[in-house]
Amino acid sequence: MEMTSTSLKRGCLVVEDNDSVTPHDETKKQKVSEGCLASSQDGVENDGLHHSENEPGPPEAESTMKDDENSSAQVQEEEEEEEEEDGLSEAGEEEEAESFADMMKHGLTELDVGICKFVSSHHGFSGILKERYSDFVVHEIGKDGRISHLDDLSVPMDEEDPPEDALTVLTAEDRQQLEELQLFKNKETSVAIEVIEDTKEKRTVIHQAIKSLFPGLETKTEDREGRKYIVAYHAAGKKALAKVRAAADPRKHSWPKSRGSYCHFVLYKENKDTMDAINVLSKYLRVKPNIFSYMGTKDKRAITVQEIAVLKISAQRLAHLNKCLMNLKLGNFSYQKTPLKLGALQGNHFTVVLRNITGTDEQVQQAMQSLRETGFINYYGMQRFGTTAVPTYQVGRAILQNSWTEVMDLILKPRSGAEKGYLVKCREEWAKTKDPASALKKLPVKRCVEGQLLRGLSKYGMKNIVSAFGIIPRNNRLMYIHSYQSYVWNTMVSRRIEEYGLRSVPGDLVLKGATPTYIEEDDVDNYSIHDVVMPLPGFDVIYPKHKISEAYREMLAADNLDIDNMRHTIRDYSLSGAYRRIIIRPQSVSWEVVAYDDPKIPLFNTDVDNLEGKPPPVFASEGKYRALKMDFSLPPSTYATMAIREVLKMDTSIKNQTQLNTSWLR
């Protein structure tokens, strides 16, 4: 979940650590996941959707660009709201009546979501994660095992590329007039641009610039009173332009046939989540965000490096953005025939700095060796469950129970915890009036989950909460029930480890290919705890053949759910289930303890530092503080915070970390 700009400076553990899981309704195809279905992303946004910091975003596993539930009218309505949202100042984020640390007294702890066991025997110690966003760096690992790095800013050129001048030859006024012409916003039927330096080369560059930057426009050269003009006009009217601008077919008329349709590039971003970054790129390029594809969403509060693909945008145009973007950099361009698919990655490589550690060198050594040799419990991290007094799994449970009034109340009622001021006012208005239109007026950002639900209630009425809830994009709705599944899984895995420890036992489940199989008595020595999986509850999974099976049944029964009937009257909310390994061993684990005096200095180089030729930091043998720098790789849908939790043996909840970080800052 994303916190406000103020709270982030306090180094909270507000991250989604790994990504790209299969969506819930596709888990039958991919039950082998080392993780499971739909990871959170808290922080991931659906086609520019903004949600409050205590509500879930869409699961990473589904294309965040799709929303098959939205009617065209709704899409149009949301597009109209985009300008209003973009114009918001940061002021709303800074409305904090009390300190963030005070507000987080109401937050969840690990025990609240079933996280209570460790697998290592070393003594824990304290340390601060993400004191600076640059202390958490994520590099994507492709299916071929190659780690994505930004190390080449050159542009692959071919004969079809317009010269570099084409991107700079038009003035801002020219661009505005051409864009208005392109979109039929200008009453004239053409735009004439005078060629000051009249040479054939100059005219060619202007022709190329207009055609490449403004699809749908054609150009010709005209003599007017002894002066040369390039005249831009529509060749075939609005219907042709509409086709050119369709998301599935952009720039078709001008794309070289010999070149792959997709430009793949490496995106380096700082303190910005993946969808935010794509929205920025799409605005600069004047295209829809859904022509971009990627393999997984990445943290906001971090430096991340990942591969992106975009349909029929040249490397030259993309590279030009490096001159005007902040906290984003693009490179390693290549043309390919196919886009990228969510989940089509091997995992992520993490470089993490834990500052101000208290552990001795021996404690650190024991902790890191245990992480490398034994691993950590593959819990769903705290960000899966929200940050306030209303956990997302409670909403998911109410959906599964068909308790729609409770769903509405849980999302909209006033709550303790860290929230933007306008959300607090919206909730207060809702509690006072139960009038969706009145509460909606309190929201300057109406595309958050609360705003969408209120809009749905205004449209369908208070007696049709199901339809009103359906206005929320599908990915976001499913996130609630996935959160409930995660809560059950965490709780059951803690019970399993408490009951049987770190060994495989008869009745445990393992996967053979994609098929779950029971471990039999005479076969138990052939498996280790690293082979054992546990199911997320659903209609298409089997449960262990030991005490934990009954524990699943009892937990769901206590929540008024029938474990034998996980199909919902609404198909979207039927849970098929999946399997998830209970212990994960990170790969490529390495670490070092470094001394430093200045809390603000970076403790390792980023890809951009290396591109700029910066020398790596040099550490003194003695320093005021000590930091643990660790490197490791994880498969998709596993949480780096849970690996770090095992090292520190500390509660990774925002509630606990905020108190730690606040006292450290004092």
Side-chain angles (χ1 to χ4, degrees):
M1 301 310 194
E2 297 177 18
M3 311 313 298
T4 68
S5 57
T6 305
S7 62
L8 281 171
K9 291 176 183 174
R10 298 194 172 110
C12 305
L13 282 165
V14 185
V15 296
E16 171 57 29
D17 303 291
N18 226 329
D19 43 37
S20 358
V21 246
T22 50
H24 191 68
D25 49 355
E26 293 180 7
T27 46
K28 288 184 184 177
K29 300 176 187 174
Q30 298 199 20
K31 288 221 174 140
V32 201
S33 58
E34 300 233 35
C36 103
L37 25 83
S39 127
S40 78
Q41 181 89 322
D42 358 325
V44 175
E45 301 180 5
N46 189 318
D47 205 7
L49 173 75
H50 285 254
H51 32 77
S52 67
E53 60 267 56
N54 55 322
E55 298 298 351
E60 299 168 356
E62 299 218 14
S63 170
T64 53
M65 301 302 181
K66 291 180 183 175
D67 185 359
D68 51 11
E69 300 292 312
N70 283 355
S71 66
S72 58
Q74 183 191 339
V75 171
Q76 182 179 356
E77 184 180 354
E78 291 189 352
E79 286 178 352
E80 288 168 358
E81 289 172 0
E82 190 171 339
E83 289 184 15
E84 164 198 49
E85 184 176 344
D86 290 342
L88 285 175
S89 71
E90 298 285 321
E93 295 190 358
E94 294 173 3
E95 291 179 24
E96 294 187 78
E98 50 184 332
S99 77
F100 181 71
D102 287 337
M103 288 193 288
M104 285 318 303
K105 291 175 183 174
H106 310 289
L108 293 171
T109 66
E110 289 184 343
L111 290 176
D112 295 328
V113 294
I115 300 172
C116 57
K117 296 292 180 184
F118 296 96
V119 297
S120 51
S121 58
H122 70 275
H123 289 290
F125 51 93
S126 69
I128 301 176
L129 173 62
K130 290 196 174 185
E131 184 185 343
R132 302 169 60 79
Y133 69 77
S134 54
D135 286 347
F136 197 93
V137 177
V138 187
H139 287 87
E140 194 169 67
I141 307 173
K143 279 292 187 192
D144 58 1
R146 182 180 54 84
I147 297 176
S148 291
H149 281 281
L150 183 77
D151 53 19
D152 183 4
L153 300 182
S154 65
V155 176
M157 300 293 287
D158 58 35
E159 293 178 2
E160 304 285 352
D161 273 320
E164 179 67 24
D165 296 358
L167 299 171
T168 56
V169 72
L170 299 173
T171 67
E173 185 180 356
D174 291 338
R175 285 171 179 256
Q176 184 176 351
Q177 289 179 337
L178 289 164
E179 185 169 358
E180 288 174 356
L181 176 68
Q182 182 196 38
L183 300 177
F184 290 98
K185 289 182 178 179
N186 125 2
K187 295 178 182 178
E188 303 297 326
T189 56
S190 64
V191 170
I193 298 171
E194 184 179 359
V195 185
I196 305 298
E197 305 167 25
D198 182 21
T199 64
K200 184 176 181 181
E201 291 75 15
K202 185 70 172 180
R203 293 197 301 272
T204 300
V205 168
I206 296 175
H207 283 295
Q208 290 173 326
I210 294 172
K211 289 179 179 179
S212 65
L213 294 175
F214 300 96
L217 297 185
E218 293 295 335
T219 59
K220 60 184 177 181
T221 303
E222 287 186 2
D223 272 311
R224 296 182 181 180
E225 299 177 355
R227 295 180 179 179
K228 280 279 196 308
Y229 288 85
I230 305 294
V231 179
Y233 61 96
H234 281 293
K238 292 187 179 182
K239 288 185 180 179
L241 177 64
K243 183 179 180 187
V244 169
R245 293 181 66 224
D249 192 28
R251 291 161 176 70
K252 183 175 180 180
H253 68 292
S254 60
W255 194 258
K257 292 180 181 178
S258 59
R259 181 195 286 168
S261 293
Y262 295 88
C263 184
H264 287 223
F265 61 94
V266 168
L267 172 68
Y268 169 102
K269 62 182 182 64
E270 297 184 359
N271 208 25
K272 192 179 286 291
D273 71 39
T274 301
M275 271 313 304
D276 272 343
I278 284 175
N279 285 332
V280 169
L281 297 179
S282 65
K283 283 177 183 176
Y284 272 88
L285 295 166
R286 292 192 300 279
V287 296
K288 293 288 186 184
N290 55 359
I291 68 170
F292 291 85
S293 57
Y294 48 88
M295 295 184 287
T297 51
K298 299 289 180 283
D299 305 87
K300 172 178 177 170
R301 186 159 171 78
I303 291 174
T304 71
V305 182
Q306 68 184 116
E307 190 171 351
I308 305 284
V310 60
L311 179 61
K312 294 182 178 176
I313 301 287
S314 70
Q316 193 178 42
R317 286 190 66 196
L318 292 167
H320 186 67
L321 297 180
N322 284 331
K323 298 174 183 176
C324 49
L325 295 176
M326 289 185 63
N327 299 329
L328 298 174
K329 198 164 279 292
L330 288 57
N332 297 80
F333 302 102
S334 65
Y335 293 110
Q336 309 288 342
K337 293 180 180 178
T338 56
L340 294 169
K341 292 185 178 179
L342 278 153
L345 74 170
Q346 202 175 98
N348 291 294
H349 184 79
F350 296 86
T351 303
V352 177
V353 168
L354 302 176
R355 291 187 183 247
N356 198 34
I357 60 167
T358 61
T360 65
D361 288 347
E362 184 181 1
Q363 283 177 306
V364 170
Q365 182 79 3
Q366 289 175 345
M368 294 306 298
Q369 282 185 338
S370 174
L371 182 68
R372 180 157 60 189
E373 293 163 11
T374 305
F376 62 96
I377 303 172
N378 194 19
Y379 285 125
Y380 288 96
M382 293 302 299
Q383 58 271 39
R384 185 82 162 176
F385 305 102
T387 60
T388 63
V390 180
T392 52
Y393 74 79
Q394 289 184 4
V395 180
R397 178 169 56 201
I399 293 169
L400 296 172
Q401 293 169 340
N402 258 325
S403 303
W404 291 100
T405 301
E406 185 181 357
V407 170
M408 177 180 68
D409 287 342
L410 285 170
I411 293 175
L412 296 178
K413 71 181 182 182
R415 59 181 66 179
S416 303
E419 286 209 302
K420 295 184 174 88
Y422 57 77
L423 272 170
V424 173
K425 291 173 185 173
C426 170
R427 296 189 193 287
E428 288 172 350
E429 183 68 19
W430 171 255
K432 185 170 66 177
T433 65
K434 286 293 190 286
D435 178 358
S438 179
L440 197 58
K441 288 178 182 175
K442 301 289 184 181
L443 284 179
V445 179
K446 294 179 174 57
R447 294 174 69 190
C448 58
V449 171
E450 295 86 353
Q452 288 170 322
L453 178 56
L454 288 168
R455 196 166 68 232
L457 292 169
S458 297
K459 182 176 181 179
Y460 294 107
M462 299 285 284
K463 293 184 178 179
N464 195 351
I465 299 171
V466 174
S467 294
F469 185 70
I471 274 191
I472 298 170
R474 181 173 181 271
N475 290 345
N476 297 59
R477 288 182 278 121
L478 294 183
M479 187 55 228
Y480 288 113
I481 57 176
H482 295 156
S483 177
Y484 177 74
Q485 282 183 304
S486 305
Y487 167 62
V488 173
W489 194 90
N490 279 0
T491 305
M492 291 297 99
V493 165
S494 293
R495 290 280 296 273
R496 158 65 181 78
I497 289 174
E498 182 178 349
E499 190 71 37
Y500 299 112
L502 295 179
R503 58 191 177 91
S504 59
V505 297
D508 273 335
L509 288 166
V510 294
L511 290 173
K512 292 188 175 178
T515 306
T517 308
Y518 292 111
I519 297 178
E520 303 297 341
E521 184 79 50
D522 56 357
D523 211 21
V524 73
D525 291 337
N526 293 327
Y527 297 99
S528 75
I529 191 67
H530 297 98
D531 300 311
V532 177
V533 298
M534 292 266 284
L536 284 96
F539 61 76
D540 199 27
V541 295
I542 59 176
Y543 295 87
K545 279 185 180 176
H546 46 52
K547 292 180 183 179
I548 305 306
S549 178
E550 191 56 35
Y552 271 97
R553 185 173 295 276
E554 290 170 0
M555 184 173 181
L556 267 66
D559 287 338
N560 295 316
L561 297 172
D562 181 359
I563 199 170
D564 298 316
N565 182 19
M566 297 301 287
R567 293 186 186 274
H568 198 279
T569 51
I570 299 170
R571 185 179 175 185
D572 262 359
Y573 310 138
S574 291
L575 296 178
S576 61
Y579 300 95
R580 180 176 176 92
R581 293 187 188 277
I582 67 175
I583 303 290
I584 290 290
R585 249 189 314 222
Q587 301 298 306
S588 307
V589 178
S590 63
W591 67 92
E592 65 175 320
V593 175
V594 298
Y596 64 103
D597 290 310
D598 183 354
K600 295 180 180 179
I601 62 165
L603 300 182
F604 58 90
N605 272 7
T606 65
D607 285 2
V608 168
D609 291 335
N610 293 332
L611 272 171
E612 293 173 353
K614 289 185 181 177
V618 177
F619 303 108
S621 55
E622 297 290 333
K624 189 175 178 182
Y625 310 113
R626 293 162 67 246
L628 170 58
K629 176 178 173 286
M630 49 202 295
D631 281 84
F632 54 89
S633 297
L634 293 176
S637 182
T638 53
Y639 287 68
T641 43
M642 293 296 99
I644 293 161
R645 169 186 181 270
E646 187 69 43
V647 170
L648 296 177
K649 293 216 171 163
M650 286 178 60
D651 185 330
T652 62
S653 65
I654 299 173
K655 179 176 180 177
N656 182 66
Q657 282 284 311
T658 304
Q659 292 164 355
L660 171 73
N661 294 359
T662 305
S663 61
W664 155 233
L665 287 175
R666 290 199 190 105

